[in-house]
Amino acid sequence: MASGLRSGRVAGGGWAASEWLGGREVVGTGGDTWNERDQEAAWFCFAGHPDASFKVDVLFSSPTPNPRARLLRACLSMQEGRWDSARRALAFPEVRNTPEARLLLELTERRPRVPDWRHAFFETWQALGRPDFRKSLLLPAPLALNYLLADIGAAWGSVDETRRFSLAVLHLAWAEPRQEWMLEQVRASSSVPLLMALREQLIALEEQSPVRQFLLSEVEARLGQLASSSPRTLQLALVSFLAGKPLTAPFEHRDLEALEALVALPDWKQPASEPFFLEMRALFDGLMRTPAHHAFLLASSAQAASLGSWLIQRARASKAHLSEDEQRWMGRLLWEVGARLFEQRSAVEMDMGLRLQVFGSELTQHVPTRERCIAAWVELGRWEDGLKQAGFHRWPLLSLQEESCGPRARDERAWMMAFAGTGELP
């Protein structure tokens, strides 16, 4: 069964612990409530599950016309290259002449002539005048980054321990009953991105979670070993700098001195997101459905943007304990960390970088810097709105969603800017 895992943001800024989407209702962005059966059929389509067609057929048992079922049927037909079948599904009165049907009909004509799905979709959307699907009642809830669309259990028994470790990091439910085994894997791992992704997953759990209590300090210790006495990236250095301290612990003068040395590191992370994404996609390929989606999930977790959130919370707790000069010093240091993050090419890292810079400029009380950061944040929001306007992550076309992961892992900034109308689609 294709299942969705939903994650959110928590106080620590990491990905929240995963939970099965299961039998809950999903509320569409247009205020329309999709019932469990409708949305489950959509997840099966997103996942390319063999039972997707059956799940969609069940929706036609309703005594009233179901336009969502027509749209899902058309998307399945398009995924299989059955263009005439898709056109027939879109010709029924309950869906005909809707903006969604018009886009799909145009896509049935354009896709066979264009080398890939992403450019065919983008060109279709552009040709139709960039219609706004943010309030669409026909499209399902968006395929969020942190939905799990594959059955981990089906893959677990057929792979070696290296691949099992990646599967357990992807879904911590498999780590909980195997904590001693996970500890062995952590101590043996030399993959900084994979350990960073695991740390992000662990810190999102409740502090009293047994698997968090058992593994978090060990993961941070292993990352410290890999950093040795001369960490090569700011991301790696900050893990050791923040480890073992509560979020409410104020910075002292000596902490600011230590952070001053760290911000001189020129790189936020190594390797970049794309090589780790490609590694994970190759590992998951043939092992589970939607390998690119799940590889992108891990690559995004490995960006460890929550480190920025921890710095902000520690800084807020420090204001009452530092002099005005020390507060300004702390603000400059936060701004420098934010600059390293904003240099990255992912939406998550850029957003956290700007958060650090905005708060840092508040502490330095430098108004022009703060205004520039806020303007950049507004611009980032405009880029993200372009994707929402296209409803990109709400179209249940497996190949379209999978194909987009690679370009996004390489340069999500360019990807978003294209949909905002300020650049070429990569």
Side-chain angles (χ1 to χ4, degrees):
M1 173 179 173
S3 300
L5 281 174
R6 171 168 291 172
S7 299
R9 290 288 179 181
V10 294
W15 295 114
S18 301
E19 56 177 312
W20 293 107
L21 210 57
R24 293 182 289 140
E25 288 187 333
V26 179
V27 180
T29 57
D32 180 44
T33 300
W34 281 59
N35 63 41
E36 176 188 352
R37 190 172 64 170
D38 287 349
Q39 189 63 54
E40 183 181 49
W43 295 137
F44 272 63
C45 294
F46 276 122
H49 195 282
D51 291 339
S53 183
F54 169 76
K55 290 290 184 180
V56 173
D57 286 342
V58 169
L59 302 184
F60 289 106
S61 62
S62 171
T64 57
N66 188 335
R68 300 184 190 90
R70 299 294 180 195
L71 183 135
L72 293 175
R73 172 56 63 200
C75 288
L76 280 178
S77 297
M78 293 171 68
Q79 176 63 37
E80 297 166 359
R82 296 186 293 112
W83 310 112
D84 288 340
S85 175
R87 296 183 189 105
R88 287 194 295 271
L90 296 168
F92 281 84
E94 58 266 32
V95 69
R96 187 174 59 228
N97 296 326
T98 62
E100 294 83 359
R102 284 194 290 271
L103 185 141
L104 290 177
L105 283 170
E106 176 65 22
L107 189 53
T108 64
E109 300 295 334
R110 193 177 297 265
R111 174 62 188 95
R113 306 194 306 267
V114 176
D116 54 57
W117 277 92
R118 67 183 187 275
H119 284 93
F121 176 89
F122 184 72
E123 292 171 12
T124 297
W125 182 61
Q126 294 272 71
L128 293 177
R130 300 168 59 90
D132 191 344
F133 294 106
R134 279 174 287 198
K135 295 184 178 181
S136 171
L137 303 182
L138 276 180
L139 295 177
L143 176 61
L145 163 65
N146 27 31
Y147 287 158
L148 194 65
L149 295 176
D151 183 359
I152 300 296
W156 188 268
S158 62
V159 297
D160 59 23
E161 289 193 342
T162 299
R163 298 173 90 184
R164 284 181 177 176
F165 184 47
S166 298
L167 291 174
V169 174
L170 182 66
H171 185 22
L172 281 184
W174 285 84
E176 291 174 357
R178 302 170 175 85
Q179 294 182 29
E180 290 290 347
W181 176 83
M182 283 290 291
L183 179 57
E184 294 176 7
Q185 301 305 308
V186 166
R187 289 173 173 172
S189 178
S190 59
S191 173
V192 170
L194 192 58
L195 290 169
M196 284 289 183
L198 176 55
R199 180 185 178 277
E200 289 288 286
Q201 296 280 42
L202 289 170
I203 64 173
L205 300 175
E206 296 290 337
E207 289 189 13
Q208 301 307 313
S209 166
V211 69
R212 170 175 169 154
Q213 290 186 329
F214 187 73
L215 286 178
L216 180 58
S217 62
E218 295 288 345
V219 172
E220 292 177 337
R222 180 56 181 156
L223 285 167
Q225 292 172 356
L226 294 173
S228 67
S229 59
S230 302
R232 62 185 183 275
T233 67
L234 181 53
Q235 181 199 63
L236 200 52
L238 284 175
V239 171
S240 297
F241 177 72
L242 294 168
K245 297 286 185 63
L247 295 177
T248 55
F251 289 132
E252 300 177 4
H253 187 92
R254 62 185 179 184
D255 295 317
L256 300 182
E257 290 178 332
L259 189 55
E260 181 76 73
L262 299 185
V263 299
L265 292 167
D267 296 324
W268 171 250
K269 67 177 187 294
Q270 292 178 5
S273 293
E274 185 183 24
F276 182 57
F277 162 80
L278 294 173
E279 178 189 350
M280 291 296 101
R281 187 178 66 181
L283 187 148
F284 294 147
D285 193 25
L287 183 63
M288 60 199 308
R289 288 183 296 277
T290 61
H293 170 77
H294 295 105
F296 192 84
L297 188 162
L298 281 185
S300 296
S301 295
Q303 292 161 0
S306 69
L307 292 167
S309 179
W310 279 40
L311 280 175
I312 290 173
Q313 292 182 72
R314 290 281 305 275
R316 290 192 188 280
S318 306
K319 289 180 66 176
H321 302 271
L322 298 176
S323 68
E324 289 189 6
D325 285 345
E326 287 174 325
Q327 288 186 43
R328 284 192 288 270
W329 182 16
M330 180 172 65
R332 180 179 59 79
L333 296 175
L334 294 182
W335 196 95
E336 293 286 352
V337 175
R340 297 289 83 74
L341 269 164
F342 190 70
E343 289 168 355
Q344 306 305 303
R345 310 298 291 186
S346 79
V348 170
E349 289 166 308
M350 288 188 293
D351 177 77
M352 183 53 69
L354 288 172
R355 291 176 187 273
L356 281 159
Q357 290 190 311
V358 168
F359 185 54
S361 63
E362 287 180 14
L363 294 172
T364 61
Q365 301 177 26
H366 191 255
V367 175
T369 301
R370 175 174 167 76
E371 290 177 345
R372 286 196 300 271
C373 293
I374 292 174
W377 210 350
V378 171
E379 183 71 358
L380 176 59
R382 192 177 70 81
W383 297 346
E384 293 173 330
D385 277 346
L387 280 167
K388 294 176 183 177
Q389 182 177 334
F392 186 84
H393 298 296
R394 299 181 65 192
W395 294 94
L397 292 161
L398 169 65
S399 293
L400 176 65
Q401 301 298 337
E402 279 288 279
E403 191 184 283
S404 73
C405 294
R408 289 165 60 206
R410 183 181 316 116
D411 192 343
E412 195 170 19
R413 182 194 299 251
W415 178 262
M416 294 186 297
M417 289 177 66
F419 279 90
T422 57
E424 297 293 324
L425 188 75

